[in-house]
Each structure stands twice: as structure tokens, then as C-alpha cells.
Amino acid sequence: MAEGGQDRETGRKTVAVVGAGIVGVASALWLQRDGHDVVLIDRGEPGDGTSYGNGGILASCAVVPVTVPGLFLKAPKMLFSPNEPLFLKWSYLPKLMPWLLRYISHANAKDTKRIAEALCPIIGDSLADHQALAAGTPAEKWLVPSDYLYLYRDRAHFEEDAFGWSVRKVHRFEWDELEGPEFQAYDPVFAKEIGFAAVLKNHGRIADPGRYVKDLAAHFVANGGRRITAEVTDFSRENGRVTGVRAGGETIPCEAAVLATGSWSKDLTGKLGLTVPLESERGYHIELFEPSMMPKSPSMIASGKFVATPMEGRLRLAGIVEFGGLEASPSRAPFDLLMRNITAAIPGLTWKKTEEWMGHRPAPSDSIPLIGPVPGVENAYLGYGHHHVGLTGGPKTGRLISQMISGKTPNIDLAPYAPSRFQ
């Protein structure tokens, strides 16, 4: 087989996967299992970015996007309140505006339902998708099947989210409703002011997301995969095909290329001839080490729009939406809000130390990930743009990309995710 070429008898290809987060690592593993020679390239270590800092929940039910009906009217008030989980670096607003107008245009019932319809096949069976990905690898130990709770003050507060729950019901998600003493019996750590829980079964959490992705990547290397630490700057192309990836001053030859660099994908996608309306949705987390109390299950506290997830030796609080681009330093206010919210939700909670993190969720303007071939480039594929559900949807995305490169027919309609929608 020629270097970087395809073995025409077996269909074996040399594939370069750019990006070592959950989507890139899942793509690399499934491609390897499908018989390809794979090189995984990233400027950093596997699982060090958003795949490390996420909420750690396999949130299959999270098919409802941020852009729900009414957001256009609510957002201005949220931006000016220190107690709402929406923040903006105001100096970034002029650059943000073209994307923001497109994003807000989808905040209607019809588009919300369409987005949920697209997300469900990618995230709707996340626990099983992760179990299949991690099977036989050291990463299996980090997967924990669990319930997933949405917590409200009372039933009236829950019913304020009726539209979102009606969308979940359409997609056959079911939940138990616990009120007052019944919820306190389920999990007594939460404040009495939290009097209603929607409990979704058949979900899961990852006890250490960063180490999970690192263990998957280590298994990939142990089974013959190559990993290169270098920044990818461009692609080599001939006759409408990618022939190599430019990284660290070298060209790495390949027969197919996968771009899965999350919020940093826009410029490299542009080098492939496609302009994608992509922004960073900045997210924050705080970890409380050796907490005196731990929730029984990962929980979304609806009043603060943040999740509290039990992890290995610590409790992770994650959430917040901030728009401010890729370059600006973290803001103080989101961390302060997370701390106020957790002390209200779990009174009396103590811990030994805290760690803070800010990262970047890749946010296309239509809230649907890009999964599939780049128009006009026969053998280049994209896998990014999952907003809040990258960890949840990473395994299915990787498997779909491997199926496409391997010439297999996926069992879902790929049209909603087609990068060509942005031509």
C-alpha cells in the first residue's frame, strides 16, 4: 500500500483525525475497529479541553436547545441580572452580532422541534453508545449508569418548562415526578425549597471525563494507532481531495481526514472552502473536592440552569452561557453565581478545596452539529458543533464518521447534520 494511500483490496485507508476530544477520539477508535490506519493529531493532550471540563452527564434527554420560544424577550433581562446564567463580554458584541442574529432567529417552536428531531438520533441512547465505545478499554471504569434529575421549586415551576417537556415526550422520554417528602426521601441533601424532581432513568455520568478520554486514547495507541502532538494549520489538496494534513511544519499523508476540533474548527473548515457560522459558547465549572455531602444522581437545578454531578472524589458544578469569543480570559461573575447557587441548593455543604475552569462549547448558529463530508472535498469530514451535548453525542458521532469513511450506510438520516447546509 502506498504511503497515505488506500489498500484497494481491503478498503483499508490511512485516516488523519484532527482533534483529540471525545469526538476525535471516538472517531479514531471506531475507524481503527473498522480496519483503518489512523493518526490522531492535536496540539494538546487528549481530553484536555471541553471534553475535560463538561458537566460529565450522558444527557440523552437534553434534546431541547437553548433557543426555545421566548428567549428573544428573556435574554436582555437575563444579561443585566447577576443571578441569571447568561453573560456577555460587551466588547465582543459587534463581532458576535451576525452570528447572534442567526442564532436567535431559531428561538421559535417550529425550529426548536426541528432541532430536537435532529439531536435525538445523536444523543438519545448515549449510555449505550458510550458503553459500546469503552467496551474492552480501561475507560470502562469511569462509566456510571444513573438517573438524571431536573429539580424545581415546585410543580408550578416545573410547568413553566412545559414546552420543553412536551418536546421530550414526543421523543419518548419518560420520567417520574417526585414531590415534597417523596423527593426528600429520594435524596435528602437538597434544600427543602427544592420541592419537585423529574427523574429520568437510563442515563449516566462519567466519574472523570478527562481521564475517560485519555484512557480511550491510550487504548487507541496500544492497539496500533498513532498520536501526534502538533498544531494543524492546513490541508494539502489535489483534484478535490485531501492528500495530507499540515502539522508542525510537516505534511502527514492521508487518504481521508476528519476535523473535530470543537470551537477551534472554524478557521480550518474555512481552509477546506466552507464558512460555518460558529461561535464559542463559554461554559464554566467549579469542582468541590471531598464534599461533606454528595447528590445521589447528577442533577440539573432549573432555577440556576446548572448541573451538579458526582465525580471521583469531588462534586462538579457546571453550566453558564457566556459569549465572549475564544481569546478573552474567564469572568469572575459566573464562578460567583455557581457558588451562590450550590450553597442555596445544598445547605451546609462543606469541602476541602475548589478548582475553577472555563472552556468553549462549539456553537453553530442553528444548534445542530456538523457531521459529514465537506462539500466539494471528496474525503474530508467534519465532526463538531454539539453545543452542550458534545460528551453525550461524541460516541455516536464518531461511529457515524467511521461508517461514512468505511463506505457503510448509517441507520439514520444524515441530512440534518450535513455541512453542505452552510454552503
PDB file of all heavy atoms in Angstrom, residues 51-68:
ATOM      1  N   SER A  51     -13.787  18.465  26.504  1.00  0.00           N
ATOM      2  CA  SER A  51     -14.060  17.070  26.869  1.00  0.00           C
ATOM      3  C   SER A  51     -13.636  16.774  28.301  1.00  0.00           C
ATOM      4  O   SER A  51     -14.093  15.802  28.894  1.00  0.00           O
ATOM      5  CB  SER A  51     -13.336  16.122  25.908  1.00  0.00           C
ATOM      6  OG  SER A  51     -13.888  16.222  24.618  1.00  0.00           O
ATOM      7  N   TYR A  52     -12.771  17.603  28.867  1.00  0.00           N
ATOM      8  CA  TYR A  52     -12.433  17.506  30.292  1.00  0.00           C
ATOM      9  C   TYR A  52     -13.450  18.274  31.147  1.00  0.00           C
ATOM     10  O   TYR A  52     -13.926  17.784  32.158  1.00  0.00           O
ATOM     11  CB  TYR A  52     -11.028  18.069  30.541  1.00  0.00           C
ATOM     12  CG  TYR A  52     -10.834  18.530  31.968  1.00  0.00           C
ATOM     13  CD1 TYR A  52     -10.655  17.615  32.998  1.00  0.00           C
ATOM     14  CD2 TYR A  52     -10.873  19.886  32.305  1.00  0.00           C
ATOM     15  CE1 TYR A  52     -10.509  18.027  34.311  1.00  0.00           C
ATOM     16  CE2 TYR A  52     -10.733  20.313  33.611  1.00  0.00           C
ATOM     17  CZ  TYR A  52     -10.558  19.380  34.613  1.00  0.00           C
ATOM     18  OH  TYR A  52     -10.422  19.791  35.908  1.00  0.00           O
ATOM     19  N   GLY A  53     -13.803  19.482  30.714  1.00  0.00           N
ATOM     20  CA  GLY A  53     -14.493  20.405  31.593  1.00  0.00           C
ATOM     21  C   GLY A  53     -16.003  20.361  31.589  1.00  0.00           C
ATOM     22  O   GLY A  53     -16.647  21.121  32.300  1.00  0.00           O
ATOM     23  N   ASN A  54     -16.602  19.474  30.816  1.00  0.00           N
ATOM     24  CA  ASN A  54     -18.069  19.412  30.702  1.00  0.00           C
ATOM     25  C   ASN A  54     -18.719  18.965  32.010  1.00  0.00           C
ATOM     26  O   ASN A  54     -18.035  18.633  32.977  1.00  0.00           O
ATOM     27  CB  ASN A  54     -18.438  18.451  29.572  1.00  0.00           C
ATOM     28  CG  ASN A  54     -17.784  17.098  29.791  1.00  0.00           C
ATOM     29  OD1 ASN A  54     -18.180  16.340  30.653  1.00  0.00           O
ATOM     30  ND2 ASN A  54     -16.739  16.809  29.030  1.00  0.00           N
ATOM     31  N   GLY A  55     -20.053  18.899  31.986  1.00  0.00           N
ATOM     32  CA  GLY A  55     -20.791  18.507  33.183  1.00  0.00           C
ATOM     33  C   GLY A  55     -20.721  17.032  33.520  1.00  0.00           C
ATOM     34  O   GLY A  55     -21.180  16.619  34.593  1.00  0.00           O
ATOM     35  N   GLY A  56     -20.166  16.208  32.623  1.00  0.00           N
ATOM     36  CA  GLY A  56     -19.974  14.795  32.924  1.00  0.00           C
ATOM     37  C   GLY A  56     -21.228  13.945  32.858  1.00  0.00           C
ATOM     38  O   GLY A  56     -21.217  12.781  33.260  1.00  0.00           O
ATOM     39  N   ILE A  57     -22.318  14.497  32.325  1.00  0.00           N
ATOM     40  CA  ILE A  57     -23.585  13.772  32.277  1.00  0.00           C
ATOM     41  C   ILE A  57     -23.833  13.255  30.868  1.00  0.00           C
ATOM     42  O   ILE A  57     -23.633  13.973  29.888  1.00  0.00           O
ATOM     43  CB  ILE A  57     -24.756  14.680  32.702  1.00  0.00           C
ATOM     44  CG1 ILE A  57     -24.520  15.217  34.112  1.00  0.00           C
ATOM     45  CG2 ILE A  57     -26.081  13.930  32.648  1.00  0.00           C
ATOM     46  CD1 ILE A  57     -25.509  16.286  34.532  1.00  0.00           C
ATOM     47  N   LEU A  58     -24.265  12.010  30.762  1.00  0.00           N
ATOM     48  CA  LEU A  58     -24.698  11.449  29.486  1.00  0.00           C
ATOM     49  C   LEU A  58     -26.192  11.776  29.367  1.00  0.00           C
ATOM     50  O   LEU A  58     -27.061  10.983  29.709  1.00  0.00           O
ATOM     51  CB  LEU A  58     -24.424   9.952  29.447  1.00  0.00           C
ATOM     52  CG  LEU A  58     -22.966   9.578  29.784  1.00  0.00           C
ATOM     53  CD1 LEU A  58     -22.747   8.080  29.658  1.00  0.00           C
ATOM     54  CD2 LEU A  58     -21.974  10.353  28.932  1.00  0.00           C
ATOM     55  N   ALA A  59     -26.425  13.006  28.886  1.00  0.00           N
ATOM     56  CA  ALA A  59     -27.748  13.638  28.994  1.00  0.00           C
ATOM     57  C   ALA A  59     -28.580  13.363  27.752  1.00  0.00           C
ATOM     58  O   ALA A  59     -28.849  14.254  26.948  1.00  0.00           O
ATOM     59  CB  ALA A  59     -27.574  15.140  29.223  1.00  0.00           C
ATOM     60  N   SER A  60     -29.016  12.133  27.604  1.00  0.00           N
ATOM     61  CA  SER A  60     -29.787  11.755  26.412  1.00  0.00           C
ATOM     62  C   SER A  60     -31.029  12.608  26.216  1.00  0.00           C
ATOM     63  O   SER A  60     -31.452  12.860  25.086  1.00  0.00           O
ATOM     64  CB  SER A  60     -30.192  10.283  26.501  1.00  0.00           C
ATOM     65  OG  SER A  60     -29.073   9.453  26.290  1.00  0.00           O
ATOM     66  N   CYS A  61     -31.618  13.055  27.319  1.00  0.00           N
ATOM     67  CA  CYS A  61     -32.857  13.814  27.232  1.00  0.00           C
ATOM     68  C   CYS A  61     -32.634  15.278  26.860  1.00  0.00           C
ATOM     69  O   CYS A  61     -33.613  16.024  26.679  1.00  0.00           O
ATOM     70  CB  CYS A  61     -33.606  13.750  28.560  1.00  0.00           C
ATOM     71  SG  CYS A  61     -32.733  14.600  29.896  1.00  0.00           S
ATOM     72  N   ALA A  62     -31.381  15.707  26.717  1.00  0.00           N
ATOM     73  CA  ALA A  62     -31.076  17.129  26.503  1.00  0.00           C
ATOM     74  C   ALA A  62     -31.227  17.512  25.031  1.00  0.00           C
ATOM     75  O   ALA A  62     -30.341  18.107  24.419  1.00  0.00           O
ATOM     76  CB  ALA A  62     -29.682  17.456  27.002  1.00  0.00           C
ATOM     77  N   VAL A  63     -32.382  17.168  24.468  1.00  0.00           N
ATOM     78  CA  VAL A  63     -32.640  17.446  23.051  1.00  0.00           C
ATOM     79  C   VAL A  63     -33.206  18.844  22.821  1.00  0.00           C
ATOM     80  O   VAL A  63     -33.310  19.297  21.683  1.00  0.00           O
ATOM     81  CB  VAL A  63     -33.603  16.398  22.449  1.00  0.00           C
ATOM     82  CG1 VAL A  63     -32.973  15.017  22.460  1.00  0.00           C
ATOM     83  CG2 VAL A  63     -34.945  16.393  23.188  1.00  0.00           C
ATOM     84  N   VAL A  64     -33.568  19.528  23.914  1.00  0.00           N
ATOM     85  CA  VAL A  64     -34.159  20.864  23.792  1.00  0.00           C
ATOM     86  C   VAL A  64     -33.028  21.889  23.780  1.00  0.00           C
ATOM     87  O   VAL A  64     -32.264  21.980  24.738  1.00  0.00           O
ATOM     88  CB  VAL A  64     -35.130  21.146  24.955  1.00  0.00           C
ATOM     89  CG1 VAL A  64     -35.780  22.509  24.784  1.00  0.00           C
ATOM     90  CG2 VAL A  64     -36.194  20.056  25.039  1.00  0.00           C
ATOM     91  N   PRO A  65     -32.890  22.676  22.717  1.00  0.00           N
ATOM     92  CA  PRO A  65     -31.774  23.619  22.638  1.00  0.00           C
ATOM     93  C   PRO A  65     -31.981  24.831  23.547  1.00  0.00           C
ATOM     94  O   PRO A  65     -33.061  25.016  24.128  1.00  0.00           O
ATOM     95  CB  PRO A  65     -31.781  24.029  21.168  1.00  0.00           C
ATOM     96  CG  PRO A  65     -33.218  23.939  20.769  1.00  0.00           C
ATOM     97  CD  PRO A  65     -33.759  22.746  21.526  1.00  0.00           C
ATOM     98  N   VAL A  66     -30.955  25.667  23.643  1.00  0.00           N
ATOM     99  CA  VAL A  66     -31.077  26.922  24.391  1.00  0.00           C
ATOM    100  C   VAL A  66     -32.110  27.834  23.746  1.00  0.00           C
ATOM    101  O   VAL A  66     -32.837  28.561  24.428  1.00  0.00           O
ATOM    102  CB  VAL A  66     -29.700  27.623  24.476  1.00  0.00           C
ATOM    103  CG1 VAL A  66     -29.828  29.013  25.091  1.00  0.00           C
ATOM    104  CG2 VAL A  66     -28.720  26.770  25.282  1.00  0.00           C
ATOM    105  N   THR A  67     -32.192  27.767  22.421  1.00  0.00           N
ATOM    106  CA  THR A  67     -33.063  28.690  21.666  1.00  0.00           C
ATOM    107  C   THR A  67     -34.523  28.228  21.680  1.00  0.00           C
ATOM    108  O   THR A  67     -35.092  27.872  20.651  1.00  0.00           O
ATOM    109  CB  THR A  67     -32.573  28.820  20.212  1.00  0.00           C
ATOM    110  OG1 THR A  67     -32.367  27.497  19.676  1.00  0.00           O
ATOM    111  CG2 THR A  67     -31.283  29.594  20.139  1.00  0.00           C
ATOM    112  N   VAL A  68     -35.124  28.273  22.865  1.00  0.00           N
ATOM    113  CA  VAL A  68     -36.541  27.928  22.988  1.00  0.00           C
ATOM    114  C   VAL A  68     -37.389  29.167  22.710  1.00  0.00           C
ATOM    115  O   VAL A  68     -36.897  30.298  22.749  1.00  0.00           O
ATOM    116  CB  VAL A  68     -36.848  27.374  24.396  1.00  0.00           C
ATOM    117  CG1 VAL A  68     -36.179  26.030  24.597  1.00  0.00           C
ATOM    118  CG2 VAL A  68     -36.442  28.364  25.486  1.00  0.00           C
TER     119      VAL A  68
END
